[in-house]
Amino acid sequence: MLTLIKEPILLAFLIVSYNFALVQLSQMLDVRLYPSSLPEQLHLTFFLSALYVAWLFGERLRTVAWIGLLFVFNVLLQAVVEQKFSTVLEQMPAFLITLLVIKLFESPVEKRWRQFQEEKHRLEEELSKNQKELMEALKTKKLYKELIEKLTKEKPSLKKE
């Protein structure tokens, strides 16, 4: 149970740490790698949260890809409408780092699904092996039954002799 909780907590910690590091770098280097206004921070936080929740529930590839495309389109559209292309520079690093980290970690749901698939495959192999053994046992039983019938038929003739 602890292993199922450990990875989501670790991933959440990494996402928060990377975002904090980007805020600090933005302040130290005077390069805005993280949004400074509250609406832009909320916008980024909501998309990062959606990525994390999609990852948490095992939709790492399909849903995360759609959320990623939606976010990139949204940021580009916002930059064009506001004619402020620094928006792309401010919002993309945190998003891309989060996307990369999510890509590297397998979600608990995906891990459980993979374990179930492996267990299913192992049980199917065991079932196949047991079916072969059953067929062999049935063939042996049939041979013994035929042998018993044959001996039963020969018993009266052997008694006469």
Side-chain angles (χ1 to χ4, degrees), residues 13-133:
F13 174 74
L14 286 174
I15 291 170
V16 170
S17 299
Y18 285 132
N19 285 310
F20 180 74
L22 285 173
V23 170
Q24 294 302 317
L25 280 172
S26 293
Q27 290 174 356
M28 286 174 33
L29 301 175
D30 268 346
V31 176
R32 293 178 63 194
L33 298 173
Y34 197 82
S36 56
S37 70
L38 183 61
E40 289 176 344
Q41 287 176 352
L42 287 175
H43 179 253
L44 180 63
T45 302
F46 287 139
F47 270 103
L48 296 183
S49 300
L51 280 178
Y52 180 76
V53 169
W55 171 84
L56 190 62
F57 288 108
E59 293 295 327
R60 187 168 61 149
L61 300 177
R62 281 179 283 144
T63 305
V64 169
W66 279 107
I67 292 171
L69 288 173
L70 183 65
F71 179 79
V72 169
F73 178 72
N74 192 355
V75 168
L76 292 175
L77 185 66
Q78 181 182 356
V80 168
V81 167
E82 294 176 354
Q83 294 181 349
K84 182 180 159 190
F85 296 101
S86 62
T87 304
V88 176
L89 181 64
E90 291 173 6
Q91 295 201 10
M92 288 312 238
F95 181 75
L96 293 176
I97 289 172
T98 302
L99 202 57
L100 177 68
V101 171
I102 283 176
K103 180 71 176 153
L104 294 175
F105 279 78
E106 184 179 37
S107 76
V109 173
E110 289 173 321
K111 190 175 286 185
R112 293 282 298 217
W113 181 255
R114 184 178 40 81
Q115 289 172 346
F116 285 140
Q117 292 294 340
E118 289 170 357
E119 182 70 13
K120 177 186 170 194
H121 183 67
R122 186 188 65 76
L123 290 173
E124 286 173 346
E125 286 177 353
E126 191 174 319
L127 177 65
S128 175
K129 179 183 156 194
N130 288 343
Q131 285 176 337
K132 287 178 184 175
E133 288 176 2

